[in-house]
Amino acid sequence: LAVAAYMLCSSTALIANKVAISHYSVPGALFVLQIVVTVLFIRAGAALRLLAADALDKENVKIFVPYICSFVLSLYSNGRALAAANVETVIVFRACSPLLVSILDWFFLGRELPNLRSLAALLGVVGGAIGYVCADSDFAVKGIRAYFWVTVNLLGIVFEMTYGKRLISKVKFESPVWGAVLYTNALALLPMLCTAALSGELARVPALEVSPLGTAWVAVSCVIGVGISWSGWNCRSKISATAYTLLGVVCKFLSVFINMLLWDKHATGIGLVMLSLCLVSSSVYQQAPMRAQKIKDELESSANAPSRTVLGAAEAQDATQEEMQSIIRDVDDTPDA
């Protein structure tokens, strides 16, 4: 259910934001509205006792600050990227994030590096991304400048995915999912508001030409914003950071189809083939095990393997069981990052 909810919200969020921004080219102001709606939804739900969310705590706020910075950066840069490029370009760059996240997964979160199959899958994603760039008309006209905001978005996503996983395992919430959603949105409101003001977007809002269709898409994006906030944290707490990122990449298959049905603002035929290579490659990725868990599995396998002599078997089993018990205690005492 957690994965299905996230897939539904993730596959539609990009399209809804793209269409809303095409009507009102003020992405920062749009995200401010989405954040306000999410916070009000949680407060209203808590007041009606339909959900529970932790109150803001000073110590937890300090822990969240680096994540909030990356969240605001990735969210705003995503909006600017959608305003300047097509949906497929944003998806291709996001597809490259698992390669970087898998390295940080190993460095910070205690997982093994990807095996050969997973490494081949991640390199396939990168190869598809390079092919897409070579076939992209924006790159041919503007060069690397065409990808400034999508590159910033990629870097923000990589940090957000890895640090976000550490948050959900280190910060103790009475209501882990809604508590994390409230912290993320409540703490991001002021930075996003300042970003929208400094970029001049808030000053342009009164002069925008309002249309019923544009307003409807803004409302849809706000509803999906609440859904992606909840389903994102709920799903993130159940799988690894790399698997979470790859799941988001796979969801973009549906985004591409919806985008092609809506209008002609999409990639070329070659670009779509390269995008498909990215997404197909991501589907064969296998999550790397925790390093301590891998040692535990190897010891269990060794303990169950037949020995050549009875004496050797007894000595090997005693030594293996003693070492395995020590490893198991270490694994049990270590929180699953």
Side-chain angles (χ1 to χ4, degrees), residues 177-196:
V177 176
W178 283 117
V181 173
L182 178 61
Y183 267 70
T184 301
N185 286 274
L187 297 178
L189 179 57
L190 182 58
M192 185 60 75
L193 186 64
C194 292
T195 301

Side-chain angles (χ1 to χ4, degrees), residues 34-274:
Q34 292 178 358
I35 291 171
V36 169
V37 169
T38 302
V39 172
L40 291 178
F41 176 86
I42 296 173
R43 289 301 190 189
L48 296 173
R49 297 184 179 180
L50 298 176
L51 56 88
D54 300 68
L56 297 181
D57 175 78
K58 183 178 180 180
E59 294 303 318
N60 286 344
V61 168
K62 291 180 180 179
I63 297 174
F64 259 79
V65 168
Y67 173 74
I68 293 302
C69 294
S70 68
F71 174 76
V72 172
L73 175 65
S74 62
L75 188 61
Y76 181 73
S77 60
N78 180 65
R80 292 296 299 267
L82 286 173
N86 57 44
V87 170
E88 289 83 1
T89 300
V90 176
I91 293 174
V92 165
F93 271 76
R94 174 154 187 176
C96 296
S97 59
L99 179 61
L100 301 178
V101 170
S102 65
I103 297 174
L104 296 181
D105 237 358
W106 167 76
F107 192 80
F108 290 110
L109 304 184
R111 292 193 178 274
E112 289 288 321
L113 286 172
N115 57 26
L116 290 178
R117 169 180 168 174
S118 297
L119 180 60
L122 293 173
L123 291 178
V125 170
V126 174
I130 293 174
Y132 179 89
V133 169
C134 293
D136 188 16
S137 59
D138 282 344
F139 180 73
V141 175
K142 303 177 183 177
I144 195 65
R145 292 182 296 108
Y147 300 131
F148 174 76
W149 282 112
V150 285
T151 302
V152 173
N153 183 238
L154 171 62
L155 297 177
I157 285 174
V158 168
F159 184 81
E160 182 188 340
M161 293 301 105
T162 50
Y163 195 81
K165 183 68 178 182
R166 296 190 70 186
L167 282 178
I168 204 70
S169 62
K170 299 295 183 181
V171 178
K172 303 303 179 183
F173 288 116
E174 293 182 8
S175 177
V177 176
W178 283 117
V181 173
L182 178 61
Y183 267 70
T184 301
N185 286 274
L187 297 178
L189 179 57
L190 182 58
M192 185 60 75
L193 186 64
C194 292
T195 301
L198 292 174
S199 65
E201 292 183 15
L202 294 184
R204 299 203 306 269
V205 169
L208 291 175
E209 183 178 347
V210 179
S211 68
L213 183 59
T215 303
W217 276 106
V218 169
V220 170
S221 72
C222 289
V223 173
I224 296 176
V226 175
I228 195 66
S229 295
W230 170 80
S231 62
W233 277 104
N234 188 40
C235 187
R236 185 179 305 180
S237 66
K238 293 176 170 58
I239 59 178
S240 77
T242 306
Y244 173 80
T245 308
L246 281 166
L247 180 62
V249 171
V250 173
C251 291
K252 297 307 180 286
F253 260 125
L254 182 57
S255 296
V256 172
F257 291 134
I258 297 174
N259 188 58
M260 292 179 65
L261 292 175
L262 280 178
W263 48 22
D264 58 356
K265 299 178 182 180
H266 49 74
T268 62
I270 297 177
L272 290 174
V273 170
M274 292 297 103

Side-chain angles (χ1 to χ4, degrees), residues 302-335:
S302 176
N304 293 329
S307 299
R308 293 185 178 181
T309 66
V310 175
L311 180 59
E315 291 176 348
Q317 187 172 10
D318 290 341
T320 300
Q321 285 180 347
E322 182 178 352
E323 186 176 3
M324 188 170 70
Q325 288 173 357
S326 174
I327 293 293
I328 290 173
R329 284 195 296 269
D330 291 341
V331 173
D332 291 340
D333 291 340
T334 302

